[in-house]
Amino acid sequence: MTDTASHASAGASAHEEVHEGLPPGWGEGLNGRIAYGVALVFSLFQLFVAAYGTLPSQIIRALHVGFLILLGAILVANLVSRSRAGKLGWWLTGLAGMGTGIYNWVFYEDIIQRTGYLTTADLVAGTVLIAVVFIAARKLMGWPLAIIAAMFLAYAAFGEYAPGVFQTRGYDYAQLVENFAFGTEGIYGTPIYVSSSYIFIFVVFAAFLERAGMLNLFNDFALGLVGGKRGGPAQVAVLSSALMGTISGSGVANVVASGQFTIPMMKKFGFKPAFAGGVEATASMGGQIMPPVMGAVAFIMAETLNVPYADIVKAAIIPACLYFGVVFWMVWLEAGRLGLKGLPKAELPNPWKAVRDQWPLVLPLAALVFLLFSGYTPIFAGTMGLGLVVVLILGGPLAARIGPTAFRVVFWLALGLGCAAFLEYGVKALFIVIGLLVVACAVFKGGRETLVIVRDALAQGARNALPVGMACAIVGIVIGTLTLTGIASTFIGAIIDIGHNNLFLSLVLTMLTCLVLGMGIPTIPNYIITSSLAGPALLELGVPLMVSHMFVFYFGIMADLTPPVALACFAAGPIAKAPGLKISIQAIRMAAAGFIVPFMAVYTPSLMLQDGGAIAASFGYPVEVAYVVVKTMLAIALWGVAVVGYFNAPVSWIERALAFAAGVSLIMAMPVSDELGFALAVLVAVLYWLRNRGLARAAA
């Protein structure tokens, strides 16, 4: 592993620099190799406990946090710190963080037995944990999230001096340390449980798929399928980002991964730099709501609501299609306004040939979807999907050494049957197949290079999990404060009081909370904080719990497109060579569905395949779903025409105003609003047709 770390770092994406606060790479010399080794051990540990689960959940969570702090601190020491004292400080921080995990492991049973009566050593270990979590999260995630968590921690400590309804009963030091550093209500709460079980596996899964060439397959397929359509390069960006969203839950990662390919192509084709960046940012953020894998929040939501992951996917599928549908639509309109046609077909790859040539890459994803929807747990489905990717990577060089095609087919069939045995005999069958492939690859040169690829993917997966894991760790401080002090009930009561008189105003306040929080913190802590406060309140106001959590989820995502921060847009800025603020304005134009659909789902939950309403009672549930979807599509289409001012020809200001009014009427859940919206839509169509027919006659 002499130069592996440096070689692996060369391929690190800009996502790491933007989102994690770290430059790419592992570091130089021995320190770099140690960082690489820690990442590799981290991944192997997580895969072992995912496959066998022999350790108690509390120990796994503690070691997960320990590894996160150790790896993050070493990378900061290697890549950021310049002074010897600074490097030493970060190494000590990392070792202290790992030490707290080992402490929880060694004294696990003792800590449980003395709950409420912590020893001095327990208090020291707990205090160190809280401190190093803040230190590491501040460096890796930035100041905003650390400041918010510190405010909640201060409230837990000094809330007894707060005025009025915000006053708490007061807690001594030992109570605070026990609440935040031990048990399952603080740092080791539900977010870290989900990070250590589900999220990590899927992050590594995505890293392996990228190493295997999945991004190239997505780009080739999208380019061949929609590259020849009006606005082809931008349509490619939308489709490839939607496909990438099936394996990557990070919008910023999507921007810098696929944006390197799509944004220059859009600019070369004739789109303005800000628009090109806006297309990529909007489509990439949609990857977090794109089934089947979605973003990390989906797994946290499933655990929080105690529902199968398939239910989350079911609720998200129609809004996700609408989201990407509106981006396609806005690109189509903008391309028409600029007079941009599709790419020449002679320059486009055959999408189906790309699939035929690289179809094995689709199998792990297909297996993952099958397992998720067959009732298996996400951790089992993710582990099996990851195992299948490893089998494909390791089997490739072996199959290449087999001469006749028929023999290669037999080899893959035998390998497939061996892998399928896990459904009958469990994970051990798959691990046996992988072990045999590792032994076979180790005996010849091409195979040994493949083993290095697998090793690098494991290490890179652990590094990619750093921002998500640290966000889950520090947001535990917020959750611990809410459960300890009960302040959430005060906030919930305020929303309910407002909502009894005006539900729409409660929704707007919740939306603004998500957008403001999202200016400083990632989607995961944004969702956890806001859903803890607003979810129960909206439920009291009659909003289904799934819909209220999706409402919060969607606006947490929209925060990365909304000025002034708009992280996804600023990530696209250097690639597009345009100001992030201009890109953000373009992104908001295209993300109309992301702002509209959550509100519509509150008033018509069938849009998320939840409870039916009056139409379902009279005509059946499928009729209501179809009606709501058609109505939403029409509203979004009208808004697109109103914003761009173009359809197949320029649209007049009167027609744009009427189109906007029609869209608003279709969205509002009020008596006769739908009828008015449909009538205005017909009026817009008639006026547009009459005016353009008159222009055509005049031209003739």
Side-chain angles (χ1 to χ4, degrees):
M1 196 179 63
T2 53
D3 295 320
T4 303
S6 59
H7 289 321
S9 69
S13 69
H15 161 55
E16 297 166 15
E17 186 172 356
V18 173
H19 201 61
E20 296 178 21
L22 291 171
W26 299 96
E28 299 178 353
L30 177 61
N31 290 343
R33 292 195 291 273
I34 292 175
Y36 183 92
V38 169
L40 186 60
V41 173
F42 188 10
S43 284
L44 292 174
F45 165 76
Q46 289 292 160
L47 293 176
F48 174 80
V49 296
Y52 294 102
T54 55
L55 291 175
S57 176
Q58 188 76 359
I59 294 177
I60 295 174
R61 301 182 200 194
L63 291 174
H64 182 76
V65 174
F67 269 117
L68 287 170
I69 297 171
L70 177 61
L71 178 58
I74 292 176
L75 288 175
V76 172
N78 291 351
L79 303 173
V80 178
S81 294
R82 294 291 176 259
S83 67
R84 185 181 297 273
K87 292 180 184 293
L88 178 61
W90 279 108
W91 274 88
L92 292 175
T93 299
L95 292 173
M98 192 67 209
T100 62
I102 296 173
Y103 184 88
N104 275 270
W105 186 5
V106 173
F107 299 104
Y108 169 66
E109 294 182 359
D110 296 334
I111 292 172
I112 292 177
Q113 292 173 2
R114 56 180 178 248
T115 299
Y117 302 94
L118 298 183
T119 65
T120 302
D122 295 337
L123 293 176
V124 171
T127 302
V128 169
L129 173 64
I130 295 171
V132 295
V133 164
F134 268 99
I135 293 170
R138 198 282 304 172
K139 192 65 177 179
L140 296 172
M141 307 300 297
W143 279 106
L145 183 54
I147 291 173
I148 291 172
M151 291 171 61
F152 275 86
L153 180 61
Y155 178 72
F158 305 108
E160 59 184 309
Y161 305 111
V165 296
F166 297 102
Q167 189 176 54
T168 66
R169 66 179 180 86
Y171 310 95
D172 61 32
Y173 187 75
Q175 285 178 293
L176 293 174
V177 171
E178 182 168 7
N179 182 72
F180 292 114
F182 299 96
T184 57
E185 295 295 338
I187 293 172
Y188 298 145
T190 298
I192 273 296
Y193 164 70
V194 178
S195 175
S196 64
S197 54
Y198 306 158
I199 297 174
F200 191 95
I201 297 299
F202 283 91
V203 170
V204 176
F205 177 69
F208 268 89
L209 281 179
E210 289 185 32
R211 295 269 175 172
M214 181 62 86
L215 182 58
N216 293 331
L217 172 59
F218 285 159
N219 285 338
D220 289 345
F221 180 77
L223 189 60
L225 195 65
V226 298
K229 309 298 182 184
R230 191 163 94 180
Q235 306 287 21
V236 170
V238 178
L239 182 57
S240 64
S241 295
L243 293 172
M244 192 64 186
T246 62
I247 63 169
S248 171
S250 171
V252 179
N254 281 1
V255 169
V256 297
S258 57
Q260 301 285 351
F261 163 73
T262 58
I263 292 176
M265 184 171 62
M266 284 187 275
K267 290 173 60 180
K268 182 179 179 181
F269 188 69
F271 287 108
K272 293 181 179 179
F275 184 83
V279 169
E280 183 57 48
T282 306
S284 293
M285 291 311 300
Q288 294 186 68
I289 59 172
M290 186 65 184
V293 178
M294 303 173 64
V297 170
F299 297 103
I300 297 175
M301 189 187 302
E303 192 67 31
T304 302
L305 299 180
N306 194 26
V307 298
Y309 178 76
D311 288 359
I312 306 294
V313 172
K314 184 180 76 171
I317 191 165
I318 292 177
C321 292
L322 290 172
Y323 182 96
F324 282 100
V326 73
V327 182
F328 274 117
W329 175 246
M330 296 297 288
V331 166
W332 191 82
L333 294 175
E334 183 70 14
R337 187 180 71 84
L338 297 175
L340 302 176
K341 306 297 181 182
L343 293 167
K345 290 189 176 181
E347 300 178 8
L348 301 178
N350 185 325
W352 307 113
K353 183 179 183 299
V355 174
R356 283 197 308 270
D357 292 344
Q358 304 178 70
W359 64 268
L361 292 175
V362 182
L363 296 180
L365 196 57
L368 176 67
V369 174
F370 170 78
L371 292 172
L372 285 173
F373 284 88
S374 296
Y376 292 94
T377 63
I379 189 170
F380 179 82
T383 304
M384 294 302 102
L386 175 58
L388 292 175
V389 179
V390 175
V391 168
L392 283 175
I393 294 175
L394 295 176
L398 298 176
R401 297 178 68 88
I402 300 175
T405 303
F407 289 166
R408 284 201 299 271
V409 171
V410 171
F411 169 79
W412 284 114
L413 286 175
L415 207 55
L417 290 174
C419 294
F422 76 83
L423 290 173
E424 181 68 25
Y425 302 106
V427 68
K428 289 183 180 179
L430 187 57
F431 281 3
I432 290 173
V433 173
I434 293 175
L436 293 174
L437 289 173
V438 168
V439 172
C441 287
V443 300
F444 62 93
K445 184 179 179 181
R448 288 191 291 273
E449 293 172 351
T450 304
L451 292 178
V452 172
I453 292 175
V454 171
R455 188 183 64 194
D456 288 349
L458 284 170
Q460 190 62 46
R463 177 175 172 136
N464 292 347
L466 269 179
V468 178
M470 286 310 306
C472 289
I474 196 168
V475 84
I477 299 291
V478 177
I479 301 303
T481 300
L482 295 177
T483 56
L484 181 66
T485 63
I487 185 61
S489 61
T490 303
F491 185 86
I492 291 168
I495 294 181
I496 292 174
D497 288 342
I498 296 172
H500 278 315
N501 298 319
N502 192 330
L503 174 60
F504 181 75
L505 183 57
S506 288
L507 295 174
V508 170
L509 291 175
T510 304
M511 176 191 73
L512 292 176
T513 302
C514 294
L515 294 178
V516 171
L517 276 178
M519 291 179 185
I521 64 177
T523 306
I524 293 173
N526 188 347
Y527 162 77
I528 294 171
I529 295 170
T530 316
S531 64
S532 299
L533 297 172
L538 295 178
L539 179 64
E540 287 291 326
L541 297 173
V543 180
L545 197 56
M546 179 74 77
V547 174
S548 66
H549 278 249
M550 281 290 185
F551 185 92
V552 171
F553 180 20
Y554 274 57
F555 284 112
I557 292 172
M558 291 299 103
D560 279 341
L561 300 176
T562 308
V565 177
L567 183 60
C569 299
F570 279 89
I575 306 173
K577 293 181 174 58
L581 189 58
K582 286 187 177 181
I583 294 176
S584 177
I585 293 171
Q586 294 294 334
I588 290 177
R589 290 178 62 206
M590 285 177 283
F595 291 92
I596 295 170
V597 169
F599 281 93
M600 293 193 68
V602 169
Y603 292 102
T604 52
S606 55
L607 190 62
M608 291 185 178
L609 300 179
Q610 302 300 302
D611 301 336
I615 297 177
S618 301
F619 302 100
Y621 187 71
V623 174
E624 176 169 316
V625 172
Y627 172 77
V628 172
V629 170
V630 169
K631 184 181 76 165
T632 308
M633 291 172 61
L634 180 59
I636 291 172
L638 289 165
W639 273 24
V641 171
V643 169
V644 178
Y646 189 89
F647 182 54
N648 276 327
V651 179
S652 69
W653 281 104
I654 294 178
E655 293 160 0
R656 293 175 71 173
L658 290 173
F660 181 81
V664 172
S665 297
L666 290 170
I667 290 168
M668 295 172 62
M670 298 176 62
V672 307
S673 63
D674 285 1
E675 290 83 349
L676 177 61
F678 284 120
L680 289 174
V682 172
L683 179 59
V684 170
V686 170
L687 291 176
Y688 175 83
W689 179 73
L690 290 174
R691 185 174 59 83
N692 282 281
R693 189 180 67 167
L695 291 174
R697 286 180 175 176

PDB file of all heavy atoms in Angstrom, residues 110-112 114-123 126 173-179 181-182:
ATOM      1  N   ASP A 110     -21.148  -2.543  32.552  1.00  0.00           N
ATOM      2  CA  ASP A 110     -21.016  -1.745  33.771  1.00  0.00           C
ATOM      3  C   ASP A 110     -21.769  -0.425  33.652  1.00  0.00           C
ATOM      4  O   ASP A 110     -22.428   0.016  34.604  1.00  0.00           O
ATOM      5  CB  ASP A 110     -19.544  -1.477  34.072  1.00  0.00           C
ATOM      6  CG  ASP A 110     -18.775  -2.759  34.372  1.00  0.00           C
ATOM      7  OD1 ASP A 110     -19.412  -3.728  34.821  1.00  0.00           O
ATOM      8  OD2 ASP A 110     -17.554  -2.791  34.140  1.00  0.00           O
ATOM      9  N   ILE A 111     -21.654   0.227  32.488  1.00  0.00           N
ATOM     10  CA  ILE A 111     -22.323   1.520  32.285  1.00  0.00           C
ATOM     11  C   ILE A 111     -23.836   1.343  32.378  1.00  0.00           C
ATOM     12  O   ILE A 111     -24.538   2.178  32.965  1.00  0.00           O
ATOM     13  CB  ILE A 111     -21.913   2.127  30.927  1.00  0.00           C
ATOM     14  CG1 ILE A 111     -20.437   2.531  30.961  1.00  0.00           C
ATOM     15  CG2 ILE A 111     -22.774   3.331  30.590  1.00  0.00           C
ATOM     16  CD1 ILE A 111     -19.892   2.953  29.612  1.00  0.00           C
ATOM     17  N   ILE A 112     -24.359   0.260  31.807  1.00  0.00           N
ATOM     18  CA  ILE A 112     -25.795   0.007  31.878  1.00  0.00           C
ATOM     19  C   ILE A 112     -26.235  -0.189  33.327  1.00  0.00           C
ATOM     20  O   ILE A 112     -27.251   0.359  33.777  1.00  0.00           O
ATOM     21  CB  ILE A 112     -26.167  -1.228  31.023  1.00  0.00           C
ATOM     22  CG1 ILE A 112     -25.971  -0.914  29.543  1.00  0.00           C
ATOM     23  CG2 ILE A 112     -27.612  -1.648  31.291  1.00  0.00           C
ATOM     24  CD1 ILE A 112     -26.251  -2.094  28.640  1.00  0.00           C
ATOM     25  N   ARG A 114     -24.902   0.912  36.084  1.00  0.00           N
ATOM     26  CA  ARG A 114     -24.823   2.088  36.952  1.00  0.00           C
ATOM     27  C   ARG A 114     -25.490   3.311  36.326  1.00  0.00           C
ATOM     28  O   ARG A 114     -25.091   4.458  36.587  1.00  0.00           O
ATOM     29  CB  ARG A 114     -23.374   2.386  37.312  1.00  0.00           C
ATOM     30  CG  ARG A 114     -22.413   2.586  36.153  1.00  0.00           C
ATOM     31  CD  ARG A 114     -21.006   2.872  36.668  1.00  0.00           C
ATOM     32  NE  ARG A 114     -20.036   3.028  35.605  1.00  0.00           N
ATOM     33  CZ  ARG A 114     -19.047   2.176  35.366  1.00  0.00           C
ATOM     34  NH1 ARG A 114     -18.917   1.089  36.110  1.00  0.00           N
ATOM     35  NH2 ARG A 114     -18.183   2.398  34.385  1.00  0.00           N
ATOM     36  N   THR A 115     -26.498   3.085  35.505  1.00  0.00           N
ATOM     37  CA  THR A 115     -27.263   4.189  34.934  1.00  0.00           C
ATOM     38  C   THR A 115     -27.830   5.057  36.064  1.00  0.00           C
ATOM     39  O   THR A 115     -28.461   4.558  36.994  1.00  0.00           O
ATOM     40  CB  THR A 115     -28.418   3.652  34.069  1.00  0.00           C
ATOM     41  OG1 THR A 115     -27.876   2.892  33.000  1.00  0.00           O
ATOM     42  CG2 THR A 115     -29.244   4.800  33.518  1.00  0.00           C
ATOM     43  N   GLY A 116     -27.612   6.340  35.958  1.00  0.00           N
ATOM     44  CA  GLY A 116     -28.054   7.257  37.005  1.00  0.00           C
ATOM     45  C   GLY A 116     -27.018   7.475  38.088  1.00  0.00           C
ATOM     46  O   GLY A 116     -27.177   8.376  38.929  1.00  0.00           O
ATOM     47  N   TYR A 117     -25.986   6.663  38.086  1.00  0.00           N
ATOM     48  CA  TYR A 117     -24.932   6.775  39.103  1.00  0.00           C
ATOM     49  C   TYR A 117     -23.565   6.643  38.427  1.00  0.00           C
ATOM     50  O   TYR A 117     -22.784   5.750  38.719  1.00  0.00           O
ATOM     51  CB  TYR A 117     -25.099   5.691  40.177  1.00  0.00           C
ATOM     52  CG  TYR A 117     -26.438   5.737  40.872  1.00  0.00           C
ATOM     53  CD1 TYR A 117     -27.484   4.954  40.414  1.00  0.00           C
ATOM     54  CD2 TYR A 117     -26.643   6.576  41.959  1.00  0.00           C
ATOM     55  CE1 TYR A 117     -28.729   4.998  41.044  1.00  0.00           C
ATOM     56  CE2 TYR A 117     -27.882   6.629  42.592  1.00  0.00           C
ATOM     57  CZ  TYR A 117     -28.918   5.835  42.125  1.00  0.00           C
ATOM     58  OH  TYR A 117     -30.138   5.881  42.743  1.00  0.00           O
ATOM     59  N   LEU A 118     -23.280   7.545  37.519  1.00  0.00           N
ATOM     60  CA  LEU A 118     -22.036   7.480  36.763  1.00  0.00           C
ATOM     61  C   LEU A 118     -20.838   7.738  37.669  1.00  0.00           C
ATOM     62  O   LEU A 118     -20.883   8.573  38.581  1.00  0.00           O
ATOM     63  CB  LEU A 118     -22.058   8.498  35.622  1.00  0.00           C
ATOM     64  CG  LEU A 118     -23.151   8.323  34.556  1.00  0.00           C
ATOM     65  CD1 LEU A 118     -22.978   9.367  33.467  1.00  0.00           C
ATOM     66  CD2 LEU A 118     -23.142   6.930  33.963  1.00  0.00           C
ATOM     67  N   THR A 119     -19.751   7.038  37.366  1.00  0.00           N
ATOM     68  CA  THR A 119     -18.510   7.242  38.097  1.00  0.00           C
ATOM     69  C   THR A 119     -17.760   8.447  37.530  1.00  0.00           C
ATOM     70  O   THR A 119     -18.124   9.008  36.486  1.00  0.00           O
ATOM     71  CB  THR A 119     -17.615   6.000  38.003  1.00  0.00           C
ATOM     72  OG1 THR A 119     -17.234   5.826  36.624  1.00  0.00           O
ATOM     73  CG2 THR A 119     -18.349   4.761  38.486  1.00  0.00           C
ATOM     74  N   THR A 120     -16.695   8.831  38.214  1.00  0.00           N
ATOM     75  CA  THR A 120     -15.869   9.937  37.724  1.00  0.00           C
ATOM     76  C   THR A 120     -15.292   9.619  36.345  1.00  0.00           C
ATOM     77  O   THR A 120     -15.243  10.481  35.458  1.00  0.00           O
ATOM     78  CB  THR A 120     -14.728  10.224  38.716  1.00  0.00           C
ATOM     79  OG1 THR A 120     -15.278  10.539  39.996  1.00  0.00           O
ATOM     80  CG2 THR A 120     -13.865  11.380  38.230  1.00  0.00           C
ATOM     81  N   ALA A 121     -14.850   8.362  36.155  1.00  0.00           N
ATOM     82  CA  ALA A 121     -14.318   7.963  34.847  1.00  0.00           C
ATOM     83  C   ALA A 121     -15.390   8.078  33.770  1.00  0.00           C
ATOM     84  O   ALA A 121     -15.099   8.512  32.637  1.00  0.00           O
ATOM     85  CB  ALA A 121     -13.790   6.528  34.920  1.00  0.00           C
ATOM     86  N   ASP A 122     -16.634   7.711  34.090  1.00  0.00           N
ATOM     87  CA  ASP A 122     -17.726   7.854  33.130  1.00  0.00           C
ATOM     88  C   ASP A 122     -17.929   9.314  32.753  1.00  0.00           C
ATOM     89  O   ASP A 122     -18.102   9.654  31.567  1.00  0.00           O
ATOM     90  CB  ASP A 122     -19.028   7.295  33.715  1.00  0.00           C
ATOM     91  CG  ASP A 122     -18.974   5.799  33.947  1.00  0.00           C
ATOM     92  OD1 ASP A 122     -18.154   5.128  33.289  1.00  0.00           O
ATOM     93  OD2 ASP A 122     -19.761   5.303  34.781  1.00  0.00           O
ATOM     94  N   LEU A 123     -17.927  10.180  33.754  1.00  0.00           N
ATOM     95  CA  LEU A 123     -18.133  11.607  33.490  1.00  0.00           C
ATOM     96  C   LEU A 123     -17.015  12.180  32.632  1.00  0.00           C
ATOM     97  O   LEU A 123     -17.256  13.000  31.736  1.00  0.00           O
ATOM     98  CB  LEU A 123     -18.231  12.373  34.812  1.00  0.00           C
ATOM     99  CG  LEU A 123     -19.470  12.077  35.671  1.00  0.00           C
ATOM    100  CD1 LEU A 123     -19.381  12.827  36.998  1.00  0.00           C
ATOM    101  CD2 LEU A 123     -20.743  12.461  34.932  1.00  0.00           C
ATOM    102  N   GLY A 126     -17.549  10.850  29.071  1.00  0.00           N
ATOM    103  CA  GLY A 126     -18.688  11.526  28.454  1.00  0.00           C
ATOM    104  C   GLY A 126     -18.380  12.953  28.079  1.00  0.00           C
ATOM    105  O   GLY A 126     -18.757  13.428  26.997  1.00  0.00           O
ATOM    106  N   TYR A 173     -24.750  18.523  36.306  1.00  0.00           N
ATOM    107  CA  TYR A 173     -23.747  18.164  35.300  1.00  0.00           C
ATOM    108  C   TYR A 173     -23.815  16.684  34.936  1.00  0.00           C
ATOM    109  O   TYR A 173     -23.748  16.316  33.758  1.00  0.00           O
ATOM    110  CB  TYR A 173     -22.356  18.525  35.823  1.00  0.00           C
ATOM    111  CG  TYR A 173     -21.259  18.345  34.809  1.00  0.00           C
ATOM    112  CD1 TYR A 173     -21.097  19.249  33.765  1.00  0.00           C
ATOM    113  CD2 TYR A 173     -20.387  17.258  34.887  1.00  0.00           C
ATOM    114  CE1 TYR A 173     -20.094  19.082  32.833  1.00  0.00           C
ATOM    115  CE2 TYR A 173     -19.372  17.088  33.952  1.00  0.00           C
ATOM    116  CZ  TYR A 173     -19.239  17.997  32.925  1.00  0.00           C
ATOM    117  OH  TYR A 173     -18.250  17.826  31.994  1.00  0.00           O
ATOM    118  N   ALA A 174     -23.967  15.827  35.924  1.00  0.00           N
ATOM    119  CA  ALA A 174     -24.004  14.385  35.674  1.00  0.00           C
ATOM    120  C   ALA A 174     -25.193  14.002  34.808  1.00  0.00           C
ATOM    121  O   ALA A 174     -25.089  13.143  33.922  1.00  0.00           O
ATOM    122  CB  ALA A 174     -24.037  13.625  37.001  1.00  0.00           C
ATOM    123  N   GLN A 175     -26.350  14.647  35.035  1.00  0.00           N
ATOM    124  CA  GLN A 175     -27.534  14.363  34.219  1.00  0.00           C
ATOM    125  C   GLN A 175     -27.299  14.745  32.767  1.00  0.00           C
ATOM    126  O   GLN A 175     -27.694  14.015  31.847  1.00  0.00           O
ATOM    127  CB  GLN A 175     -28.742  15.124  34.774  1.00  0.00           C
ATOM    128  CG  GLN A 175     -29.337  14.549  36.043  1.00  0.00           C
ATOM    129  CD  GLN A 175     -30.490  15.389  36.544  1.00  0.00           C
ATOM    130  OE1 GLN A 175     -30.293  16.537  36.969  1.00  0.00           O
ATOM    131  NE2 GLN A 175     -31.684  14.845  36.480  1.00  0.00           N
ATOM    132  N   LEU A 176     -26.675  15.885  32.566  1.00  0.00           N
ATOM    133  CA  LEU A 176     -26.420  16.343  31.196  1.00  0.00           C
ATOM    134  C   LEU A 176     -25.464  15.392  30.481  1.00  0.00           C
ATOM    135  O   LEU A 176     -25.705  15.006  29.327  1.00  0.00           O
ATOM    136  CB  LEU A 176     -25.841  17.758  31.218  1.00  0.00           C
ATOM    137  CG  LEU A 176     -26.779  18.869  31.703  1.00  0.00           C
ATOM    138  CD1 LEU A 176     -26.030  20.186  31.812  1.00  0.00           C
ATOM    139  CD2 LEU A 176     -27.973  19.015  30.769  1.00  0.00           C
ATOM    140  N   VAL A 177     -24.388  15.017  31.146  1.00  0.00           N
ATOM    141  CA  VAL A 177     -23.420  14.118  30.515  1.00  0.00           C
ATOM    142  C   VAL A 177     -24.066  12.775  30.204  1.00  0.00           C
ATOM    143  O   VAL A 177     -23.884  12.216  29.110  1.00  0.00           O
ATOM    144  CB  VAL A 177     -22.184  13.927  31.421  1.00  0.00           C
ATOM    145  CG1 VAL A 177     -21.278  12.826  30.858  1.00  0.00           C
ATOM    146  CG2 VAL A 177     -21.415  15.232  31.540  1.00  0.00           C
ATOM    147  N   GLU A 178     -24.844  12.239  31.137  1.00  0.00           N
ATOM    148  CA  GLU A 178     -25.487  10.950  30.899  1.00  0.00           C
ATOM    149  C   GLU A 178     -26.471  11.022  29.748  1.00  0.00           C
ATOM    150  O   GLU A 178     -26.561  10.109  28.926  1.00  0.00           O
ATOM    151  CB  GLU A 178     -26.204  10.473  32.161  1.00  0.00           C
ATOM    152  CG  GLU A 178     -26.847   9.103  31.993  1.00  0.00           C
ATOM    153  CD  GLU A 178     -27.304   8.507  33.299  1.00  0.00           C
ATOM    154  OE1 GLU A 178     -27.245   9.199  34.330  1.00  0.00           O
ATOM    155  OE2 GLU A 178     -27.720   7.336  33.292  1.00  0.00           O
ATOM    156  N   ASN A 179     -27.210  12.137  29.654  1.00  0.00           N
ATOM    157  CA  ASN A 179     -28.206  12.277  28.593  1.00  0.00           C
ATOM    158  C   ASN A 179     -27.562  12.384  27.218  1.00  0.00           C
ATOM    159  O   ASN A 179     -28.018  11.761  26.255  1.00  0.00           O
ATOM    160  CB  ASN A 179     -29.070  13.508  28.854  1.00  0.00           C
ATOM    161  CG  ASN A 179     -30.167  13.679  27.815  1.00  0.00           C
ATOM    162  OD1 ASN A 179     -31.135  12.934  27.787  1.00  0.00           O
ATOM    163  ND2 ASN A 179     -30.007  14.665  26.937  1.00  0.00           N
ATOM    164  N   ALA A 181     -24.106  11.830  26.339  1.00  0.00           N
ATOM    165  CA  ALA A 181     -22.957  10.995  25.995  1.00  0.00           C
ATOM    166  C   ALA A 181     -23.187   9.505  26.215  1.00  0.00           C
ATOM    167  O   ALA A 181     -22.350   8.694  25.824  1.00  0.00           O
ATOM    168  CB  ALA A 181     -21.733  11.444  26.795  1.00  0.00           C
ATOM    169  N   PHE A 182     -24.278   9.125  26.854  1.00  0.00           N
ATOM    170  CA  PHE A 182     -24.595   7.716  27.055  1.00  0.00           C
ATOM    171  C   PHE A 182     -26.071   7.506  26.718  1.00  0.00           C
ATOM    172  O   PHE A 182     -26.822   8.449  26.582  1.00  0.00           O
ATOM    173  CB  PHE A 182     -24.304   7.291  28.499  1.00  0.00           C
ATOM    174  CG  PHE A 182     -22.864   7.453  28.900  1.00  0.00           C
ATOM    175  CD1 PHE A 182     -22.433   8.581  29.574  1.00  0.00           C
ATOM    176  CD2 PHE A 182     -21.925   6.477  28.583  1.00  0.00           C
ATOM    177  CE1 PHE A 182     -21.101   8.749  29.932  1.00  0.00           C
ATOM    178  CE2 PHE A 182     -20.590   6.628  28.938  1.00  0.00           C
ATOM    179  CZ  PHE A 182     -20.172   7.763  29.607  1.00  0.00           C
TER     180      PHE A 182
END
